[in-house]
Amino acid sequence: MQVIFLGTGTSQGIPIIGSDHPVCLSDNPKDKRLRVSVLITWNNYNILIDCGPDFRQQMLANNVKRLDAIFYTHEHNDHTAGLDDIRPFFFRQGDIPVYAHKRVLKALRKRFDYIFTTENKYPGAPGVKENIIENKTFSFHGLTVTPVEFMHNRLQVFGFRLEDFAYLTDIKSIEDEEVEKLNDLKVLVVSALRVESHHSHFNLDEALKFIERLNPERAYLTHISHMLGFHDEVEKELPPNVHLAYDNLKINV
Ligand SMILES: [Zn+2]
Ligand SMILES: [Zn+2]
């Protein structure tokens, strides 16, 4: 399984438009972060987790030729706004399978009614095939997918475990029985917004404590705000098995 971090930034991305914050002005490419998303390649299937506003750029940057599914974590705009740009994939492949909680599908249907509609569809609008995710394991072409449920302040969010890899973003709290799904991971990706605490996201300390509790072989932090600091400086302070993810980082699991 190969994982590409397509974007590792929080909702506004880094740099923030018009910002004079030193991190936003950094020349280090690792300090430039598009909105969060990962592309997982397993057995030649390409699975995208979240489809945010930078989707088009992310597909171009990584020369992605095929999209077999989009798994959604939740409906926030930084995770969903790019759906219209699946058009090139739709033209080549037909309806693109999307997987999400039924509440998230409802939100997408409202926002992108012209994509989900079956009547008087505008020629050229993309199409999707809806799949409802419940909090139970399902199979994707033989790959076992375990949804992991947690809270983002008061909003339910799904993370996903695929074999020995797990991806959890926009997390603030999680029940013990969900944590049990995350034993014996090779790679854990978890969001860590910034140093100061936040009402709906783990801060750095909370993410590190969570990693310590799960004890994966390696962990990567994502959904990073400019307020976390410069990539190279934060990276130096992390435990040896924990890294800051950065855009276009590729890992094998
Ligand atoms: Zn987010
Ligand atoms: Zn969110």
Side-chain angles (χ1 to χ4, degrees):
M1 180 180 293
Q2 188 197 54
V3 179
I4 307 177
F5 290 87
L6 300 171
T8 58
T10 188
S11 56
Q12 295 184 80
I14 307 177
I16 290 179
I17 296 170
S19 168
D20 292 325
H21 188 281
V23 172
C24 293
L25 299 176
S26 168
D27 289 330
N28 184 349
K30 292 180 180 171
D31 285 321
K32 302 196 185 304
R33 301 181 187 276
L34 299 177
R35 270 57 72 87
V36 281
S37 178
V38 284
L39 184 75
I40 296 159
T41 304
W42 176 84
N43 254 359
N44 293 323
Y45 290 108
N46 281 337
I47 302 166
L48 181 76
I49 303 186
D50 290 331
C51 184
D54 300 316
F55 170 76
R56 177 174 176 274
Q57 233 179 305
Q58 292 164 333
M59 294 298 100
L60 289 172
N62 291 282
N63 194 24
V64 181
K65 303 231 174 192
R66 199 186 151 78
L67 193 56
D68 297 290
I70 305 172
F71 292 179
Y72 283 101
T73 59
H74 66 304
E75 62 270 51
H76 282 164
N77 213 52
D78 53 327
H79 300 256
T80 58
L83 185 59
D84 187 72
D85 281 324
I86 63 171
R87 293 173 71 219
F89 296 107
F90 167 74
F91 293 145
R92 289 195 291 264
Q93 300 171 218
D95 289 351
I96 303 298
V98 296
Y99 291 73
H101 188 286
K102 63 177 188 307
R103 180 202 76 239
V104 175
L105 288 171
K106 194 173 159 195
L108 291 172
R109 246 180 264 133
K110 199 165 155 191
R111 226 174 288 173
F112 298 99
D113 62 327
Y114 64 97
I115 293 178
F116 287 79
T117 191
T118 49
E119 283 166 36
N120 296 324
K121 197 163 177 176
Y122 179 73
V128 292
K129 184 176 181 303
E130 296 177 58
N131 298 273
I132 295 173
I133 301 178
E134 289 171 0
N135 192 13
K136 52 185 185 204
T137 294
F138 62 94
S139 174
F140 176 81
H141 298 280
L143 173 68
T144 301
V145 180
T146 306
V148 180
E149 190 168 75
F150 48 85
M151 299 301 284
H152 181 29
N153 194 348
R154 279 186 289 183
L155 185 71
Q156 178 274 358
V157 177
F158 276 137
F160 301 99
R161 178 175 186 153
L162 313 162
E163 297 183 336
D164 297 328
F165 170 81
Y167 182 84
L168 281 68
T169 188
D170 297 57
I171 176 172
K172 180 63 181 180
S173 60
I174 181 167
E175 297 291 327
D176 290 342
E177 71 223 50
E178 297 298 310
V179 175
E180 281 168 26
K181 297 175 178 174
L182 299 166
N183 290 330
D184 301 319
L185 287 172
K186 285 206 176 96
V187 175
L188 168 68
V189 180
V190 64
S191 54
L193 187 74
R194 62 186 191 190
V195 175
E196 273 163 39
S197 75
H198 188 272
H199 66 93
S200 64
H201 289 278
F202 274 173
N203 67 358
L204 182 59
D205 269 352
E206 290 165 321
L208 292 176
K209 282 201 183 82
F210 185 64
I211 293 165
E212 210 177 292
R213 178 177 177 193
L214 293 177
N215 197 27
E217 282 179 21
R218 282 180 287 160
Y220 292 87
L221 305 177
T222 193
H223 210 292
I224 292 163
S225 147
H226 64 293
M227 287 182 278
L228 189 64
F230 291 104
H231 179 281
D232 291 353
E233 289 181 11
V234 178
E235 176 75 23
K236 270 191 275 185
E237 304 297 319
L238 298 175
N241 65 330
V242 183
H243 303 282
L244 284 193
Y246 52 87
D247 289 17
N248 304 317
L249 168 67
K250 289 188 180 72
I251 60 170
N252 288 307
V253 185

